[in-house]
Amino acid sequence: MSSIELESVITCPECGAVTQETMPTNACQWLYECGACHVVLKPLPGDCCVYCSYGTVKCPPIQQGSSCCSSGGA
C-alpha cells in the first residue's frame, strides 16, 4: 500500500520563494499567502487547490485517486 505524503514544497510564481508546508487532510486549501512577497495564490484552472497548482506533491485526496473537495466542473 502506498502512503500519503503530507509535505509539499510550494513555489511562489511571483517571486520564486519556496516553502515546505504540511497539507491539511480534512480540507482543500484554495488560498495561500506567500510569506516572502505576500501575493495570495489561487489554484490554476483545472486544479483543485494550491498544492496541486504550485506544490511538489499533489493534495491527499488526489494522491488517493479521488477528487479533492466536492466541487464538480460544471
Side-chain angles (χ1 to χ4, degrees):
M1 298 214 172
S2 62
S3 62
I4 301 299
E5 283 189 63
L6 296 179
E7 298 295 318
S8 185
V9 176
I10 289 186
T11 301
C12 176
E14 291 293 316
C15 71
V18 293
T19 307
Q20 183 167 333
E21 298 287 348
T22 301
M23 294 182 280
T25 57
N26 61 348
C28 289
Q29 187 160 342
W30 292 327
L31 302 174
Y32 177 84
E33 183 178 350
C34 175
C37 71
H38 302 287
V39 70
V40 176
L41 304 180
K42 296 177 184 173
L44 296 172
D47 285 340
C48 60
C49 66
V50 294
Y51 293 105
C52 289
S53 293
Y54 306 105
T56 55
V57 177
K58 302 287 187 194
C59 68
I62 297 298
Q63 290 181 55
Q64 293 174 323
S66 61
S67 63
C68 185
C69 303
S70 58
S71 63

